[in-house]
Amino acid sequence: MTQDLQAAFDTVVRRNPGESEFHQAVYEVLESLGPVVERHPEYVDASIIPRLCEPNRQIIFKVNWEDDNCRIHTNRGFRVQFNSSLGPYKGGLRFHPSVYLGIIKFLGFEQIFKNALTGMPIGGGKGGSDFDPKGKSDNEIMRFCQSFMTELSQHIGADTDVPAGDIGVGGREIGYLFGQYKKLTGRYESGVITGKGILFGGSRARTEATGYGTVFFAEEMMKLNGQGFDGKKVVVSGSGNVALYAVEKANQLGATVVAVSDSSGYVVDEDGIDFELLQDVKEKRRARISAYADERPNAHVVTGGSIWDVPCDIALPCATQNELDENAAKTLIQNGCKLVAEGANMPCTPQATRALRSAGVLFAPGKAANAGGVATSALEMQQNASRDSWSFEHTEERLQQIMVGIHERCAETADEYGHPGDYVLGANIAGFTRVADAMLALGVI
Ligand code: NDP
Ligand code: 2IT
């Protein structure tokens, strides 16, 4: 790392003590930027990197809500508006007990570059709460969402900041959040949030977009070697929104998904994961992964181990940050895994990423491979602005074109900087230069 980059990183660590995930996300980007700042001293002269590492605004608020027994609970809400050079702040909301400022900042920072890579007019932001949706009734979820939005509504808008879903926030939560925004403002401002239901301004294929997009991206990587998903064995971690639709698309392309997971364990099904059953267990029944195994003759549940022990050709980590460590990476390599594409945000530890890349495993970083979700959110914003509603086929086609475009941008940038096949470098530099050029053009603001 150059002196300027190291100094910027040291400032991040000093200014944001204890926020290890944020430090990790910043380090991973800055590590790639040496060649670009060498070629473009104007970025250093304008202090672009230190300016990028400091969020424009960080909002922390109290969320009081009442459970079904009339007990009052207090959670913490966050919205980090990181960078709006390319468009309104855009990024999801995460409801999970592990949420704290450092998680939201890491996600917001990643989102800047991911959104830039899509080529669409969206800035980077992220929000959420340490609220735990597990075991809560529908009414409790609704009251929490209403209370959360009562504060958040003061900071968002279709041209200001546009939230969406992430872990623990899906269609149900987005509906309650939008309903409360509408009530508070008295306006039907569809473009204020994405991931909405089709009846009230949602986009077809948004639910599927992140998982499908990850598979489209991986397919593009394999095409360069004349390969594809057909006939491959795939392991997908998680069984939430991203994982589920990665499974569906991998199945459609002729792969066999042999394992999926949730936080209680993983299930191995050598017959191939039955997408419809998994969708029923997870989306409709909101049950644990063991409920899937109960209904499949040759499936079994493993608790306490690592899903990455299951041999596969392709690994798609789609659950959460740092879920795939160096040991897991070594096991994947030993078992002959040829490609890892991050459906989740930062699921591979830096040591795992290094091990995979140095063993020659094709590696797609999340900010490229999972950008299909936010890109389709931007398509939802387009539909809202024109009061239009596109067909599933048209929207999926647009999504696929966008993923092909992101893949091209990453691959070409890696070539241009003398590191062919290095998607980490390609994604970081391609995303960074778009944001940096916009920041230069907009002046010191
Ligand atoms: P969901 O809440 O729908 O699903 C999350 C899945 O991951 C669940 O199976 C969950 O298991 C598992 N999981 C979550 N946290 C942990 C944990 N600490 N340990 C083990 N398992 C865990 O979320 P999404 O599918 O939307 O998000 C998954 C990942 O994809 C996240 O990293 C998110 O940031 C990223 N992402 C999401 C996008 C989207 O459009 N939704 C877009 C781009 C990236 P359990 O239910 O047991 O908790
Ligand atoms: O991490 C992500 O890109 C998301 N959770 C989706 C964000 C969005 O605005 O659709």
Side-chain angles (χ1 to χ4, degrees), residues 10 26 34 42 53 70 76 109 113 134 150 161 188 203 270 393 426:
D10 291 343
V26 172
E42 66 272 23
C53 292
C70 302
R76 192 170 275 186
F109 187 75
F113 306 98
K134 277 205 190 75
T150 300
D161 182 354
Y188 209 104
S203 173
E270 294 289 347
E393 292 68 28

Side-chain angles (χ1 to χ4, degrees), residues 65-68 136-146 172 176:
W65 59 281
E66 215 173 82
D67 69 20
D68 290 342
K136 304 293 190 297
S137 70
D138 266 4
N139 275 325
E140 288 171 333
I141 298 284
M142 181 181 73
R143 284 193 295 274
F144 177 80
C145 288
Q146 290 174 340
R172 173 182 59 169
Y176 295 144

Side-chain angles (χ1 to χ4, degrees), residues 63 153 214 217 225 322 393 395 423:
V63 188
S153 62
T214 301
F217 192 94
N225 304 325
N322 293 327
E393 292 68 28
T395 319
Y423 289 90

Side-chain angles (χ1 to χ4, degrees), residues 90-92 111 114 126 162 164-166 194 206 345 370 373-374 377:
K90 181 84 197 85
Q111 201 81 45
K114 182 195 304 191
K126 200 83 185 191
V162 183
D166 193 80
T194 60
R206 173 62 190 91
N345 286 308
N370 71 38
V374 75
S377 279

Side-chain angles (χ1 to χ4, degrees), residues 94 134 166-168 206 210 239-242 263 288 319 344-345:
R94 176 178 292 190
K134 277 205 190 75
D166 193 80
I167 290 178
R206 173 62 190 91
T210 312
S239 48
N241 174 262
V242 179
S263 60
R288 302 281 72 203
N345 286 308

